């Protein structure tokens, strides 16, 4: 049968005359068309439920691969710099330990007062007052204020300040007040100063 005759026969078929309960009696042209349509439907459903699902699965795997690559790159960079990080941590621990060793404990405060007194006397000064004031608690440390009043020559006062600043323990100097020691005049000066030393507040991190 020629193709033109096949199409002509297909046009002459009335779909209403087809018996859906007896597909075997359908004309060959209709059977071919029905088979093609059925195959197209099967392929479409197969694509929708199988191929589409595979594509989604593949896309998910690609995203996971991208995430794993980023994680690998990050960990590789960390591993490459691990030695440097370790060295930096050791240096920080050593620096922190040195600072802590410079903070006096409760039992070392009297010794610090002796050091300040010795420094003043060695500078040629006379002490009028050296007095511990109430502690001031901060989050990570506790301030120990010390009120100091001394008299002496200007050069000796400067030597004393330099000596206190150079003590092994951390001592900071504040609130300088300088005036003549004798209202009638003379070379001596009276210096009032607030010295602060510090100790570690081991309860600060628990707040």
């Amino acid at each position: 049968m020629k193709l033109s005759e096949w199409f002509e026969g297909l046009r002459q078929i009335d779909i209403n005359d087809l018996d859906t309960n007896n597909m075997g009696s359908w004309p060959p042209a209709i059977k071919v068309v029905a088979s093609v349509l059925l195959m197209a439907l099967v392929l479409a459903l197969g694509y929708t439920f199988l191929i589409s699902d595979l594509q989604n699965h593949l896309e998910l795997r690609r995203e996971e691969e991208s995430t794993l690559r980023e994680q690998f790159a990050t960990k590789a960079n960390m591993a490459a710099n691990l030695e440097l990080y370790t060295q930096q941590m050791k240096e920080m621990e050593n620096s922190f330990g040195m600072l802590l060793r410079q903070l006096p404990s409760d039992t070392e405060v009297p010794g610090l007062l002796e050091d300040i007194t010795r420094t003043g006397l060695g500078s040629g000064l006379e002490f009028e007052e050296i007095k511990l004031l109430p502690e001031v608690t901060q989050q990570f440390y506790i301030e120990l204020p010390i009120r100091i009043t001394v008299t002496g020559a200007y050069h000796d006062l400067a030597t004393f300040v330099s000596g206190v600043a150079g003590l092994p323990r951390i001592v900071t100097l504040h609130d300088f007040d300088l005036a003549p020691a004798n209202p009638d005049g003379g070379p001596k000066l009276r210096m009032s100063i607030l010295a602060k030393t510090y100790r570690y507040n081991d309860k600060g991190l628990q707040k």
Side-chain angles (χ1 to χ4, degrees):
M1 178 183 293
K2 295 181 180 181
L3 187 60
S4 58
E5 295 177 353
W6 185 83
F7 278 111
E8 182 64 26
L10 185 61
R11 283 197 297 268
Q12 294 177 359
I13 296 174
D14 187 355
I15 297 179
N16 295 324
D17 294 337
L18 298 177
D19 185 2
T20 56
N21 295 322
N22 186 13
M23 298 177 63
S25 63
W26 289 4
I30 294 298
K31 290 181 180 179
V32 171
V33 172
S35 298
V36 171
L37 292 176
L38 181 60
M39 184 178 296
L41 179 61
V42 170
L43 291 175
L45 292 176
Y47 176 82
T48 301
F49 294 105
L50 179 61
I51 298 179
S52 179
D53 183 66
L54 289 175
Q55 286 183 337
N56 292 335
H57 185 73
L58 178 60
E59 185 64 27
L60 180 62
R61 288 292 178 264
R62 286 175 177 171
E63 292 178 358
E64 291 179 354
E65 180 185 4
S66 177
T67 301
L68 290 174
R69 285 180 181 273
E70 292 177 359
Q71 292 178 354
F72 177 79
T74 301
K75 292 181 179 180
N77 183 61
M78 292 177 61
N81 293 282
L82 180 60
E83 184 176 353
L84 177 61
Y85 292 153
T86 302
Q87 182 63 30
Q88 290 177 343
M89 286 298 298
K90 288 182 179 179
E91 292 176 358
M92 291 175 62
E93 289 175 357
N94 291 336
S95 298
F96 186 65
M98 291 177 61
L99 288 175
L100 287 183
R101 286 192 293 272
Q102 288 183 286
L103 300 181
S105 63
D106 290 336
T107 58
E108 292 175 313
V109 172
L112 178 60
L113 294 178
E114 291 179 3
D115 290 341
I116 293 175
T117 303
R118 188 181 303 110
T119 301
L121 295 177
S123 301
L125 302 180
E126 296 178 4
F127 279 85
E128 292 186 355
E129 180 185 42
I130 180 168
K131 178 182 179 182
L132 282 173
L133 301 180
E135 295 181 346
V136 179
T137 302
Q138 306 292 348
Q139 182 175 2
F140 299 111
Y141 62 91
I142 297 175
E143 293 181 0
L144 305 173
I146 305 171
R147 172 61 63 187
I148 302 171
T149 304
V150 291
T151 59
Y154 180 83
H155 177 75
D156 296 335
L157 293 173
T159 301
F160 170 68
V161 170
S162 177
V164 171
L167 290 175
R169 300 298 178 182
I170 295 177
V171 180
T172 59
L173 302 176
H174 310 264
D175 303 337
F176 289 82
D177 182 49
L178 196 63
N182 189 343
D184 297 331
K188 281 191 175 183
L189 299 173
R190 176 179 289 106
M191 181 177 68
S192 178
I193 190 172
L194 181 65
K196 292 183 181 180
T197 188
Y198 309 86
R199 62 185 175 87
Y200 182 58
N201 182 9
D202 55 359
K203 297 180 180 179
L205 295 177
Q206 301 175 7
K207 293 183 178 181

